[in-house]
Amino acid sequence: DQQVKQNSPSLSVQEGRISILNCDYTNSMFDYFLWYKKYPAEGPTFLISISSIKDKNEDGRFTVFLNKSAKHLSLHIVPSQPGDSAVYFCAASADGGYQKVTFGTGTKLQVIP
Amino acid sequence: NAGVMQNPRHLVRRRGQEARLRCSPMKGHSHVYWYRQLPEEGLKFMVYLQKENIIDESGMPKERFSAEFPKEGPSILRIQQVVRGDSAAYFCASSPRWTGLGEQFFGPGTRLTVL
């Protein structure tokens, strides 16, 4: 049972435009959400997170939006750069705890120069 | 300032053999976490260790899998009598203390293939 779903396995965006990566979850106990970026042959790197008490968190070009009623979160990258090309994983946990973490299957983003 | 190191990067085993995966945490980190990514799935937590102690192994399969983090040397994830279903990417992460996910630094992973 995949509790965190990233339904788009891949996404292509032109350089300078906005990239929007989506993630849906089913477990209402999740209260902390994260996005990771992964380059080939490397481990995931933490990108940005959001607590369920917020609906938006921004860090430079990266913004995460959380819609609790829809159990949906999204990552916006503006403007997209070729170096952003990677696989993006969303992850969710309850009480910020490592032992209850659930990752999505990832979305491969390609930013075209 | 080396990051989390994992070796081997690729490991091929025949059914019934043992697989031993190593993880050297970042310098100064005494907490290690192991995750497994099965094909077409997301990463899943397996076990959390501190030096010489298993803190939480609730994500580990009950049989054939074990993990250790000795006082000296890397953390080891051991899989005995491997089966084809064990084929996956195994990632470890480390942190300087118990922490939420965002402060865990991941290694590049070991890709295990069971023939």
Side-chain angles (χ1 to χ4, degrees):
Chain A
D1 175 33
Q2 192 68 25
Q3 297 185 56
V4 177
K5 298 177 183 178
Q6 293 177 258
N7 292 318
S8 298
S10 63
L11 175 68
S12 288
V13 172
Q14 208 70 31
E15 180 180 4
R17 306 293 290 270
I18 183 172
S19 294
I20 300 177
L21 295 96
N22 294 304
C23 181
D24 297 295
Y25 62 96
T26 57
N27 189 341
S28 58
M29 297 299 292
F30 289 147
D31 59 3
Y32 191 67
F33 305 88
L34 308 96
W35 284 94
Y36 281 81
K37 180 167 71 173
K38 184 182 179 305
Y39 292 118
E42 295 184 12
T45 304
F46 170 73
L47 196 57
I48 191 169
S49 64
I50 188 167
S51 164
S52 60
I53 62 173
K54 294 184 173 182
D55 55 17
K56 177 182 174 181
N57 189 26
E58 196 170 350
D59 183 2
R61 296 186 296 115
F62 302 91
T63 303
V64 56
F65 295 92
L66 175 62
N67 182 333
K68 289 185 289 294
S69 60
K71 294 190 176 67
H72 177 84
L73 66 156
S74 60
L75 174 68
H76 292 209
I77 307 173
V78 182
S80 301
Q81 300 173 354
D84 296 330
S85 297
V87 177
Y88 289 79
F89 293 96
C90 69
S93 74
D95 300 324
Y98 59 88
Q99 68 272 32
K100 297 177 182 177
V101 64
T102 302
F103 281 79
T105 52
T107 296
K108 185 175 183 178
L109 173 66
Q110 182 182 19
V111 179
I112 303 165
Chain B
N1 198 12
V4 179
M5 311 282 283
Q6 289 188 249
N7 69 82
R9 295 294 307 279
H10 301 274
L11 181 62
V12 179
R13 284 289 178 266
R14 297 191 181 279
R15 282 178 296 170
Q17 291 183 320
E18 178 179 281
R20 202 173 282 207
L21 289 65
R22 294 174 182 77
C23 170
S24 296
M26 285 181 68
K27 187 176 181 180
H29 288 191
S30 58
H31 297 234
V32 166
Y33 316 79
W34 284 93
Y35 295 83
R36 177 169 68 171
Q37 185 180 20
L38 293 168
E40 310 301 322
E41 295 187 16
L43 282 76
K44 286 188 171 61
F45 167 79
M46 298 182 74
V47 62
Y48 162 41
L49 310 102
Q50 293 180 31
K51 283 283 188 182
E52 298 185 277
N53 288 303
I54 296 174
I55 306 303
D56 185 342
E57 55 183 349
S58 59
M60 285 268 274
K62 299 298 180 195
E63 297 177 351
R64 301 187 297 107
F65 285 72
S66 62
E68 63 178 12
F69 190 14
K71 187 176 180 180
E72 301 291 337
S75 175
I76 305 235
L77 179 68
R78 185 181 289 110
I79 311 172
Q80 295 177 306
Q81 299 176 331
V82 296
V83 300
R84 289 221 174 103
D86 297 332
S87 294
Y90 292 82
F91 293 93
C92 82
S94 73
S95 70
R97 61 189 182 282
W98 182 89
T99 182
L101 297 168
E103 294 182 42
Q104 294 179 17
F105 295 84
F106 281 82
T110 293
R111 185 163 296 279
L112 172 66
T113 301
V114 179
L115 301 177

